[in-house]
């Protein structure tokens, strides 16, 4: 699989958020300090790290081609992650109040940014080995994947079907 075209790094983290606006302000401040982009994806709504990579790759490409829907890389990446043109729906693929399991993406990623982020986020190993049946059902509902599609491709191909939905956003532009 093609990697993200700029030097982006993705790490898995957990955080409990009491004030979403406050943590977003902190992330914007850190991003501004380093002149980078920080995108946080809700790992519970993604089909793994590949999904985050694909969303970032498509978002970067849309800006390069001058066809971006949004005015920020962060929102464009969330739009691709959600497979939708609707910002209101894409926002739900980012941080939310309560317990969060997230993919944190820094583009580019200077080494010291992870230390600054670790003050606010708890980084750990990515637990995404395989997609459970419960998560597969959630992904199928989120991405409007019909039972017939899953049966035709196989239950173990849900990740591929989700990634196809991400790519299809380009077609609907």
């Amino acid at each position: 699989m093609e990697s993200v075209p700029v030097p982006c790094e993705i790490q898995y983290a957990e955080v409990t958020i009491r004030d979403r606006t406050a943590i977003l302000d902190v992330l914007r401040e850190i991003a501004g300090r380093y002149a980078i982009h920080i995108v946080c994806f809700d790992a519970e709504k993604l089909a793994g790290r590949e999904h985050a990579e694909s969303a970032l790759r498509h978002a970067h490409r849309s800006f390069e081609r001058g066809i971006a829907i949004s005015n920020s890389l962060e929102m464009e990446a969330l739009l691709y992650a959600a497979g939708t043109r609707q910002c209101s729906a894409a926002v739900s693929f980012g941080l939310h109040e309560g317990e969060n399991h997230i993919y944190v993406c820094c583009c580019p990623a200077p080494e010291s940014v992870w230390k600054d982020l670790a003050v606010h986020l708890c980084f750990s190993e990515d637990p995404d080995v395989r997609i459970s049946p419960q998560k597969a059902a959630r992904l199928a509902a989120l991405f409007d994947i019909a039972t017939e599609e899953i049966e035709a491709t196989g239950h173990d191909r849900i990740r591929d079907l989700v990634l196809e939905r991400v790519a299809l956003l380009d077609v609907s532009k």
Side-chain angles (χ1 to χ4, degrees):
M1 171 163 278
E2 176 185 343
S3 64
V4 177
V6 296
C8 291
E9 277 186 44
I10 301 173
Q11 292 193 28
Y12 178 83
E14 296 177 359
V15 62
T16 300
I17 297 175
R18 288 177 182 76
D19 183 346
R20 183 177 170 273
T21 302
I23 191 72
L24 289 173
D25 287 344
V26 166
L27 294 174
R28 281 188 203 102
E29 187 275 322
I30 293 171
R33 188 175 343 134
Y34 287 96
I36 64 171
H37 297 279
I38 299 174
V39 184
C40 295
F41 295 107
D42 183 346
E44 300 298 321
K45 293 185 176 180
L46 263 57
R49 180 180 299 271
E50 276 182 77
H51 189 164
E53 291 170 351
S54 180
L56 286 168
R57 190 172 45 259
H58 281 87
H60 279 284
R61 192 177 306 145
S62 72
F63 273 98
E64 287 172 358
R65 295 179 179 169
I67 59 169
I69 295 170
S70 71
N71 61 2
S72 75
L73 178 71
E74 294 82 358
M75 179 52 74
E76 194 75 5
L78 289 171
L79 287 165
Y80 274 101
T84 182
R85 296 173 55 98
Q86 302 300 315
C87 291
S88 58
V91 168
S92 73
F93 278 70
L95 297 172
H96 56 85
E97 293 192 357
E99 185 178 336
N100 284 254
H101 302 267
I102 57 177
Y103 288 110
V104 182
C105 311
C106 293
C107 305
E111 185 64 34
S112 55
V113 73
W114 298 110
K115 291 177 187 157
D116 288 354
L117 289 169
V119 172
H120 307 281
L121 309 171
C122 181
F123 290 100
S124 64
E125 258 328 284
D126 182 358
D128 183 51
V129 176
R130 68 173 202 83
I131 296 174
S132 70
Q134 296 84 0
K135 186 168 184 175
R138 186 170 54 250
L139 291 170
L142 281 169
F143 291 94
D144 199 26
I145 299 170
T147 304
E148 295 80 17
E149 278 183 274
I150 295 170
E151 289 173 356
T153 60
H155 292 276
D156 59 334
R157 303 286 307 270
I158 187 76
R159 187 181 321 262
D160 295 329
L161 293 170
V162 170
L163 293 175
E164 181 180 275
R165 296 306 198 273
V166 172
L168 285 174
L169 185 58
D170 281 334
V171 175
S172 72
K173 280 187 172 180

